[in-house]
């Protein structure tokens, strides 16, 4: 997967990061730099919880690509502790009861600071218009509007200076338009750059029925090697019941019919257990040793998922096979936030390892490991994530 090197300033510190082209700024801030004061809400640029300042302009970090911020100065809520206007706003928010759960507050404060600095004469109506891009489910907005208005009045009484920080015309970050380096020495804005060749799994024909019902919020690429010839592994893949039995947490509830599957997958996250029940269909190309599984499912708490899994069997050696897997899926409902990249990557690695171990055991004529048919347990992933966060934090704040 193509990656890009982006250089920017975050909270007055230079940052150089290697990111995928699709990485959103909010994910770079939260997952890589551990600046979790920037909250994730709708992930569509609607709620404003993720608002940060890019070159002194409030912007939605959930719909801003990290590579688009090349050369920009990013400020998150963590960088405003000693800011004069933010101190006044924090005091006013507390005084006017302008927050309850606090989830929208970082974005509200980021937008409010821009109002105070840019519109010193704003009245209540104008404040409401300016705040219309930030949603709050708790307060009814009255306290927030009063808080911003009281800060404006206080600054007018004291004659506080108003400084317009904006110097560029156009979308936030556009004043630094230029090039971003790509791994391999290519420039992603160079017209002559060649489009990467699709993987074997991507070359299979996609039927109209295979389109995802939702925009994918999970994309995973994994591979593993099985010490068996490709024809033997392909024969195993054609036995759907055998393949499903090798997947941790998965089970069929009906016998396969015409390449259609009905079953469920169980996931245990500590005390929380979720069972997704649904169906899938399979399309295969034996000549190319590739296939795709498309399906959807629902969980009793209201979560739903749809997606597709593409696989390709490549000759890995004289008697080994390399299995490439690509997954694109969408999760909606209460479990949607489990789709954040760090946990998904670890979950994919654990699922792939369990599947490859079980598959290899079956090909050797042995019984699958203890993960076959058992719940996919992901509780320890949170511990692993914390360890990873601590390592990143120590590296970032050195």
């Amino acid at each position: 997967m193509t990656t890009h090197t982006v250089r920017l300033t975050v909270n007055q510190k230079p940052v150089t990061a290697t990111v995928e082209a699709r990485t959103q700024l909010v994910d770079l801030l939260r997952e890589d730099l551990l600046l979790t004061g920037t909250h994730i809400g709708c992930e569509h640029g609607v709620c404003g919880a993720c608002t940060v300042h890019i070159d002194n302009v409030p912007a939605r970090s959930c719909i801003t690509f990290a590579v688009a911020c090349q050369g920009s100065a990013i400020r998150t809520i963590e960088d405003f502790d000693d800011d004069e206007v933010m101190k006044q706003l924090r005091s006013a928010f507390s005084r006017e009861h302008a927050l309850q759960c606090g989830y929208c507050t970082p974005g509200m404060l980021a937008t409010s600071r821009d109002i105070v600095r840019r519109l010193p004469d704003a009245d209540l109506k104008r404040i409401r218009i300016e705040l219309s891009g930030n949603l709050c489910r708790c307060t009814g907005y009255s306290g927030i509007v009063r808080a911003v208005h009281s800060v404006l009045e206080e600054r007018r009484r004291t004659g506080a200076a108003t400084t317009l920080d904006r110097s560029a015309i156009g979308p936030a970050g556009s004043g630094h338009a230029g090039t971003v380096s790509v791994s391999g020495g290519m420039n992603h804005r160079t017209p002559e750059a060649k489009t990467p060749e699709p993987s074997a799994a991507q070359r299979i024909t996609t039927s109209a029925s295979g389109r995802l019902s939702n925009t994918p919020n999970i994309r995973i690429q994994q591979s593993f090697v099985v010490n068996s010839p490709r024809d033997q592994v392909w024969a195993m893949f054609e036995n759907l019941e055998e393949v499903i039995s090798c997947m941790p947490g998965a089970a069929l509830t009906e016998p396969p019919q015409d390449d259609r599957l009905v079953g469920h997958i169980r996931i245990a996250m500590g005390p929380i257990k979720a069972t997704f029940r649904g169906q899938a269909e399979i399309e295969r190309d034996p000549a190319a040793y590739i296939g795709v599984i498309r399906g959807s499912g629902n969980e009793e708490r209201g979560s739903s998922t749809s997606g597709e899994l593409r696989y390709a069997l490549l000759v890995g050696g004289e008697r080994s096979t390399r299995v490439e897997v690509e997954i694109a899926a969408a999760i909606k409902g209460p479990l949607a936030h489990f789709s954040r990249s760090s946990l998904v990557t670890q979950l994919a690695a654990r699922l792939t390892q369990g599947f490859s171990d079980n598959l290899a055991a079956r090909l050797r004529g042995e019984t699958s490991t203890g993960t076959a048919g058992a719940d996919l347990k992901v509780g320890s992933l949170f511990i692993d994530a914390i360890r990873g966060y601590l390592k990143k934090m120590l590296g970032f704040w050195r």
Side-chain angles (χ1 to χ4, degrees):
M1 185 175 294
T2 303
T3 57
H4 305 257
T5 299
V6 60
R7 293 176 176 83
L8 61 161
T9 301
V10 179
N11 294 346
Q12 306 178 57
K13 293 186 177 183
V15 172
T16 300
T18 301
V19 298
E20 298 174 16
R22 64 187 176 89
T23 300
Q24 303 293 347
L25 176 60
V26 69
D27 291 316
L28 172 64
L29 295 174
R30 289 180 58 87
E31 303 289 344
D32 294 343
L33 304 183
L34 307 178
L35 297 170
T36 54
T38 302
H39 291 169
I40 298 173
C42 66
E43 300 189 73
H44 294 288
V46 175
C47 74
C50 68
T51 302
V52 298
H53 281 207
I54 303 177
D55 294 333
N56 294 309
V57 179
R60 306 287 197 264
S61 59
C62 77
I63 55 172
T64 300
F65 289 121
V67 294
C69 297
Q70 174 77 354
S72 295
I74 314 298
R75 296 190 72 183
T76 70
I77 193 67
E78 289 91 342
D79 195 40
F80 288 107
D81 283 353
D82 298 323
D83 181 83
E84 176 192 358
V85 175
M86 199 64 84
K87 285 181 179 179
Q88 292 176 309
L89 284 168
R90 288 198 301 266
S91 177
F93 267 55
S94 177
R95 181 178 64 252
E96 300 292 343
H97 305 289
L99 71 159
Q100 288 186 28
C101 80
Y103 200 84
C104 72
T105 305
M108 284 285 186
L109 287 171
T111 301
S112 298
R113 180 182 183 274
D114 177 69
I115 296 172
V116 171
R117 296 182 68 87
R118 180 169 50 87
L119 301 169
D121 298 320
D123 58 12
L124 292 173
K125 181 179 179 181
R126 183 60 185 271
I127 293 171
R128 292 189 184 99
I129 293 173
E130 293 291 328
L131 286 173
S132 62
N134 292 73
L135 305 184
C136 176
R137 296 190 177 191
C138 301
T139 65
Y141 302 97
S142 295
I144 298 174
V145 174
R146 288 197 307 269
V148 176
H149 190 251
S150 68
V151 171
L152 287 170
E153 288 187 324
E154 179 183 352
R155 292 178 67 81
R156 284 195 291 266
R157 285 196 306 268
T158 59
T162 299
T163 303
L164 297 179
D165 297 324
R166 300 184 180 185
S167 58
I169 298 176
S174 61
H176 303 278
T179 59
V180 178
S181 61
V182 182
S183 58
M186 295 172 58
N187 184 315
H188 83 288
R189 290 192 177 97
T190 303
E192 294 79 12
K194 295 182 179 180
T195 302
E197 288 293 323
S199 65
Q202 289 175 317
R203 291 195 289 267
I204 194 166
T205 303
T206 302
S207 63
S209 62
R211 295 173 182 170
L212 294 179
S213 59
N214 299 298
T215 302
N217 51 20
I218 294 177
R219 293 186 184 275
I220 300 168
Q221 289 182 316
Q222 295 283 319
S223 64
F224 59 91
V225 175
V226 180
N227 292 321
S228 297
R230 183 165 65 165
D231 287 334
Q232 184 180 356
V233 178
W234 181 259
M236 179 73 171
F237 268 70
E238 288 191 314
N239 187 330
L240 300 180
E241 291 179 292
E242 286 284 330
V243 171
I244 296 300
S245 69
C246 292
M247 185 174 295
L252 294 176
T253 53
E254 298 179 12
Q257 293 185 354
D258 300 325
D259 285 338
R260 292 183 177 274
L261 307 174
V262 178
H264 65 252
I265 182 167
R266 296 192 302 268
I267 301 175
M269 295 171 282
I272 302 174
K273 293 187 177 182
T275 301
F276 285 90
R277 306 179 188 277
Q279 55 187 358
E281 60 180 15
I282 300 177
E283 181 184 350
R284 288 173 287 196
D285 184 349
Y289 295 91
I290 57 180
V292 58
I293 303 174
R294 303 183 181 94
S296 60
N298 296 286
E299 192 263 343
E300 61 183 6
R301 297 177 183 83
S303 296
S304 63
T305 182
S306 63
E308 63 182 30
L309 182 152
R310 297 170 180 265
Y311 61 89
L313 307 187
L314 309 176
V315 176
E318 185 177 348
R319 289 186 55 81
S320 65
T321 303
R322 183 177 183 84
V323 181
E324 290 187 352
V325 179
E326 299 177 6
I327 300 172
I331 298 180
K332 296 178 64 177
L335 297 178
H337 280 289
F338 187 67
S339 64
R340 301 316 305 170
S341 59
S342 59
L343 289 178
V344 167
T345 300
Q346 295 177 66
L347 173 61
R350 183 162 300 184
L351 181 61
T352 301
Q353 185 63 52
F355 178 74
S356 62
D357 290 345
N358 292 330
L359 182 64
R362 291 294 180 92
L363 288 168
R364 294 192 301 266
E366 303 172 0
T367 303
S368 300
T369 68
T371 61
D375 291 353
L376 178 57
K377 297 181 179 180
V378 297
S380 61
L381 293 182
F382 294 98
I383 298 176
D384 295 339
I386 291 173
R387 289 173 179 165
Y389 287 159
L390 289 175
K391 290 181 180 178
K392 291 179 181 178
M393 183 179 295
L394 290 175
F396 178 66
W397 291 111
R398 282 184 302 184

